[in-house]
Amino acid sequence: QVQLQESGPGPVKPSQTLSLTCTVSDASISSGGYYWSWIRQPAGKGLEWIGRIYTSGRTNYNPALKSRVTISVDTSKNQFSLNLSSVTAADTAVYYCARTNLACNGGNCHVHFDYWGQGTLVTVSS
Amino acid sequence: SYEVTQPPSVSVSPGQTARITCSGDALPKQYAHWYQQKPGQAPVLVIYKDTERPSGIPERFSGSSSGTTVTLTISGVQAEDEADYYCQSADSSGTYVVFGGGTRLTVL
């Protein structure tokens, strides 16, 4: 069973950069076949996809966050990471990492998330 | 922008059938997927590609699609099914991923 675990340094001050890492177990990022995503959820609200990365380093980002997001991968550690810059209180949320199925057929692509980490709360506060 | 819409809440008595809908203009061409989220827990995939059920998900969970609406059906609802359910889809490029606002299922 694939396992994902988010980790990060804790609270972040406004205008700083939020950094999180997701460690994958019982699956190899470098094997390919899957993308790896970050998703967040403010307290009491819905889910928002942030972006994803492939083992090659290819990324796709939510257009609403693209200017502030960087996702990277370290296949030697079987980890991928999220950096979100210039954070505000609106970025306070539980952040999840998830394995991502992306399948394309005739130019039509479909995406879903089959394994999720337990999530980590990131608070932006001065 | 691409959106999918769910009702905020659905209530059902134990043993009855719950139906949660998700509507979106692109759903005739794009698959929808469903996630169950209980308080304080991560979402769990319960239906993918409109109708497919992952291993380990009870048979009482099923999905269907008709035009611009997809439906998650829970037959013989149990108390443990009380949760938030999210519909998710993507645009044809797979780049723009969207979640519905979620439906709170209450088991009376």
Side-chain angles (χ1 to χ4, degrees):
Chain A
Q1 171 112 343
V2 180
Q3 297 186 57
L4 299 95
Q5 178 67 59
E6 305 87 354
S7 60
V12 183
K13 289 182 167 50
S15 80
Q16 293 188 340
T17 296
L18 177 162
S19 297
L20 295 173
T21 295
C22 181
T23 301
V24 179
S25 303
D26 297 320
S28 173
I29 291 177
S30 60
S31 294
Y34 298 97
Y35 279 74
W36 303 87
S37 287
W38 288 97
I39 296 159
R40 70 180 182 178
Q41 184 175 37
K45 296 187 178 181
L47 299 160
E48 179 180 36
W49 177 71
I50 299 170
R52 63 176 179 247
I53 192 165
Y54 195 64
T55 181
S56 63
R58 177 175 179 172
T59 54
N60 296 103
Y61 299 132
N62 183 332
L65 299 169
K66 187 174 183 177
S67 63
R68 300 194 291 130
V69 174
T70 302
I71 297 176
S72 59
V73 64
D74 185 340
T75 55
S76 68
K77 296 182 179 179
N78 216 33
Q79 296 176 335
F80 61 106
S81 298
L82 168 69
N83 278 354
L84 180 65
S85 64
S86 305
V87 298
T88 69
D91 295 309
T92 294
V94 174
Y95 284 75
Y96 296 99
C97 54
R99 192 176 79 167
T100 307
N101 286 263
L102 172 65
C104 297
N105 183 8
N108 208 26
C109 297
H110 308 280
V111 180
H112 70 274
F113 310 100
D114 58 358
Y115 290 98
W116 297 61
Q118 66 184 27
T120 187
L121 174 63
V122 178
T123 301
V124 178
S125 174
S126 55
Chain B
S1 62
Y2 181 30
E3 295 180 350
V4 290
T5 304
Q6 303 176 232
S9 62
V10 168
S11 298
V12 65
S13 298
Q16 297 199 325
T17 297
R19 294 180 179 85
I20 301 172
T21 59
C22 175
S23 299
D25 290 342
L27 291 180
K29 294 184 178 180
Q30 294 302 109
Y31 286 130
H33 321 281
W34 291 95
Y35 303 87
Q36 176 195 66
Q37 186 179 34
K38 297 181 179 180
Q41 297 183 20
V44 173
L45 180 69
V46 294
I47 294 290
Y48 66 101
K49 293 183 180 180
D50 291 348
T51 62
E52 301 295 318
R53 189 173 57 248
S55 61
I57 300 301
E59 291 184 5
R60 63 180 182 272
F61 289 86
S62 64
S64 61
S65 176
S66 178
T68 58
T69 300
V70 295
T71 302
L72 172 68
T73 300
I74 310 172
S75 304
V77 167
Q78 300 180 7
E80 66 194 50
D81 299 329
E82 187 164 279
D84 292 328
Y85 291 85
Y86 291 91
C87 169
Q88 175 256 310
S89 189
D91 71 343
S92 60
S93 72
T95 299
Y96 192 73
V97 175
V98 61
F99 288 92
T103 299
R104 173 71 52 88
L105 175 66
T106 301
V107 182
L108 301 170

